[in-house]
């Protein structure tokens, strides 16, 4: 773990793209594959193209987070590898493989060994994944049903498409995971990691996607949810894979944010001893809602959806369009037999679980913040854990706390999230300006700074909500409420420095102007 936020500073390189300078910014924690895709996109090259990067002197530059930075006067260039180059490498690789295969065949009778291994693997797969045998047939039936519906719609004329600007159902996104469990690496969590997962101080930046999936899988086992809901462990893995693949690569609302919220929920369950006060079904609802709460987030908030009259806003009548969409995608995934972690739950019980998860995801719409917090304030002084309405309200407040809990974490973990959120805000405000839509001041890159973005949010949203929860769970003060107060003080100090620098600059401009007049 780093000791300061500087270790999370993004890296900047400059590219020559058709004679123009292209600035590229990426996190030091990006993988080489992520950087390569970013370079391809920036250089107008198809994403899966094999490329190399050269400097003006023709020297190759490694494509990884440690690559040397450059300047606009010393531009790198991304060059696709030619078919000939790829062909030579492929031929060389095939020749080596052929030689190795021939040697192995002679020495170890590879064909007999292959047959034996194949048979043993087939037997193991049948034992571990009996339900997987029907997946192909199910998919065929679903595809045939879809074709039949499409034919019926076309024959009946269907409805006229509404003139929405953006069609989120037609973006090529697949709910079914593109990879299956065998290619999902198994990680064994250390005791240190297991203990760290239970605390708000957990550093979420040091983990790859597969590692985060393993951590989430561990949480479900550790809380007893796999046993309580009689989940097939393989189905749990597939469900998590499908969830991860249905989060988009937004600056902020991405799978890492999903993991942050879920880990904070797991931490609060332990910190507040919720296992002793709520049922295991409540635990499952809290964790599953946290995992699914921002599924397929497009990176543009509800205000944009409504003002731009997108398909989502029209579909959900301007009522929490994003949150309704997250719910829909969540249950779309759960409707797949191979991903249904609640397949063995009684149908009536599942109805109640579904209703509760929907209520929690819809509660994450910040437009409802005041209404939900006020309802909780009226109950907290005489809170009754046997009262269903009280417990439902508590669960809504808990998921809200976890959703916006970044400032509870240490500064070096929290501050990079501010950069990510502002980047997403600026992307939206730039689009709103180009489309002639209203722009919120807190999203305008010309008006907002880190301190101004954070101070009001911490003072008037975060601290009041967490202090209200503290009335019910006093133990969160040291690990959650005090860090929020420290964060507020940190940003207020930064604002004072910014104000002083701005005032100093204004004074110098006035002084120079007066000096010229005297001359």
């Amino acid at each position: 773990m780093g000791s300061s936020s500087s270790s999370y500073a993004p890296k900047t390189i400059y590219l020559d793209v058709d004679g123009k300078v292209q600035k590229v910014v990426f996190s030091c924690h990006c993988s080489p594959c992520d950087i390569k895709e970013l370079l391809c996109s920036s250089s107008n090259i198809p994403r899966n193209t094999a490329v190399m990067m050269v400097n003006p002197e023709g020297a190759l530059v490694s494509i990884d987070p440690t690559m040397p930075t450059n300047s606009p006067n010393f531009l790198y260039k991304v060059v696709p590898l030619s078919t000939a180059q790829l062909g030579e490498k492929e031929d060389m690789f095939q020749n080596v493989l052929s030689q190795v295969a021939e040697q192995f065949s002679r020495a170890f009778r590879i064909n007999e060994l292959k047959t034996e291994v194949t048979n043993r693997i087939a037997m193991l797969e049948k034992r571990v994944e009996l339900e997987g045998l029907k997946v192909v047939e199910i998919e065929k039936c679903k595809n045939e049903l879809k074709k039949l519906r499409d034919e019926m719609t076309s024959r009946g004329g269907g409805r006229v498409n509404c003139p929405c600007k953006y069609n989120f159902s037609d973006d090529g996104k697949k709910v079914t995971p593109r990879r299956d469990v065998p290619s999902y690496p198994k990680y064994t969590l250390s005791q240190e990691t297991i203990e760290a997962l239970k605390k708000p101080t957990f550093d979420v930046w040091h983990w790859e996607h597969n590692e985060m999936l393993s951590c989430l899988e561990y949480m479900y086992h550790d809380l007893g949810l796999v046993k309580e809901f009689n989940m097939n462990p393989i189905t749990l893995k597939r469900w998590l894979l499908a969830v991860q693949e249905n989060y988009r690569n937004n600056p902020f609302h991405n799978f890492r944010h999903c993991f942050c919220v879920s880990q904070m929920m797991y931490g609060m369950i332990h910190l507040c001893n919720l296992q002793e006060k709520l049922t295991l079904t409540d635990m499952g609802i809290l964790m599953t809602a946290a995992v699914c709460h921002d599924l397929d987030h497009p990176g543009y908030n509800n205000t944009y959806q409504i003002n731009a009259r997108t398909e989502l806003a029209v579909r959900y009548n301007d009522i929490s369009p994003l949150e309704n969409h997250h719910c829909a995608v969540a249950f779309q995934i759960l409707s797949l037999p191979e991903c249904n972690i609640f397949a063995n739950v009684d149908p009536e019980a599942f109805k109640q679980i579904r209703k509760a998860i929907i209520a929690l995801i819809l509660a994450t719409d910040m437009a409802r913040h005041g209404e939900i917090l006020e309802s909780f304030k009226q109950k907290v002084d005489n809170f009754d854990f046997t009262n269903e309405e009280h417990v439902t309200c508590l669960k809504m407040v808990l998921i809200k706390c976890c959703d916006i809990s970044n400032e509870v974490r240490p500064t070096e973990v929290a501050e990079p999230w501010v950069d990510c959120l502002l980047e997403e805000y600026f992307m939206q405000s730039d689009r709103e300006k180009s489309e002639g839509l209203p722009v919120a001041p807190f999203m305008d890159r010309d008006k907002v700074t880190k301190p101004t973005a954070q101070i009001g949010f911490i003072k008037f949203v975060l601290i009041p909500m967490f202090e209200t929860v503290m009335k019910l769970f006093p133990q969160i003060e040291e690990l959650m409420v005090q860090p929020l107060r420290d964060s507020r003080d940190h940003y207020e100090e930064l604002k004072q420095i910014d104000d002083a620098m701005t005032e100093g600059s204004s004074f110098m401009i006035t002084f120079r102007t007066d000096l010229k007049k005297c001359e």
Side-chain angles (χ1 to χ4, degrees), residues 349-367:
F350 176 72
K351 282 184 184 178
Q352 297 305 313
I353 291 170
R354 169 176 156 82
K355 179 181 176 183
I357 290 173
I358 290 172
L360 295 201
I361 295 177
L362 292 180
T364 61
D365 183 355
M366 285 303 293

Side-chain angles (χ1 to χ4, degrees), residues 146-351:
K146 185 177 183 303
K147 288 178 183 176
L148 184 60
R149 286 196 195 98
D150 291 342
E151 285 179 15
M152 291 173 66
T153 302
S154 61
R155 288 174 184 174
R159 71 174 182 85
V160 178
N161 288 330
C162 61
C164 304
K165 284 188 163 187
Y166 301 99
N167 189 328
F168 290 102
S169 64
D170 197 26
D171 60 0
K173 199 113 180 111
K174 288 188 177 179
V175 171
T176 308
R178 292 187 296 274
R179 53 191 176 129
D180 202 2
V181 173
S183 62
Y184 174 1
K186 179 177 176 57
Y187 294 93
T188 302
L189 304 184
S190 68
Q191 192 59 39
E192 182 184 6
T193 298
I194 288 171
E195 290 306 313
L197 273 173
K198 299 174 183 177
K199 299 173 183 175
T201 52
F202 187 81
D203 190 341
V204 296
W205 293 106
H206 287 190
W207 305 86
E208 298 294 336
H209 280 183
N210 283 340
E211 294 169 327
M212 289 188 278
L213 286 168
S214 289
C215 288
L216 290 171
E217 185 183 348
Y218 169 81
M219 294 174 200
Y220 270 74
H221 281 279
D222 179 59
L223 291 172
L225 304 180
V226 175
K227 185 177 180 181
E228 173 69 13
F229 297 109
N230 194 18
M231 294 180 190
N232 184 317
I234 301 298
T235 303
L236 175 62
K237 288 178 183 285
R238 278 207 201 93
W239 174 70
L240 288 170
L241 278 171
V243 165
Q244 183 245 310
E245 292 187 353
N246 279 277
Y247 273 90
R248 303 194 194 189
N249 293 322
N250 300 313
F252 184 92
H253 290 100
N254 50 39
F255 179 65
R256 193 175 298 277
H257 168 67
C258 151
F259 177 71
C260 265
V261 176
S262 304
Q263 184 271 322
M264 188 63 75
M265 181 67 78
Y266 179 71
M268 288 196 80
I269 287 171
H270 283 282
L271 185 59
C272 301
N273 298 319
L274 292 179
Q275 301 101 317
E276 299 175 6
K277 298 176 174 64
L278 301 179
T279 66
L280 275 172
T281 298
D282 287 326
M283 301 292 107
I285 289 165
L286 284 168
M287 288 300 301
T288 305
V291 169
C292 298
H293 83 284
D294 270 335
L295 273 168
D296 197 38
H297 195 297
Y300 300 93
N301 69 12
N302 280 331
T303 301
Y304 175 82
Q305 306 299 325
I306 293 166
N307 289 339
R309 299 191 296 281
T310 65
E311 182 190 338
L312 287 184
V314 173
R315 183 187 302 163
Y316 295 111
N317 304 309
D318 296 350
I319 301 169
S320 302
L322 289 183
E323 289 72 26
N324 274 295
H325 181 59
H326 306 325
C327 291
V329 176
F331 285 98
Q332 218 178 335
I333 294 172
L334 286 170
S335 71
L336 301 172
E338 65 272 26
C339 297
N340 186 5
I341 56 175
F342 297 117
N344 297 320
V345 173
D346 176 77
E348 280 304 313
F350 176 72
K351 282 184 184 178

Side-chain angles (χ1 to χ4, degrees), residues 132-149:
L133 298 174
K134 299 179 182 178
V135 169
V136 174
E137 291 302 319
I138 291 170
E139 288 301 314
K140 285 182 181 177
C141 290
K142 284 165 65 177
N143 289 334
E144 288 173 5
L145 279 171
K146 185 177 183 303
K147 288 178 183 176
L148 184 60
R149 286 196 195 98

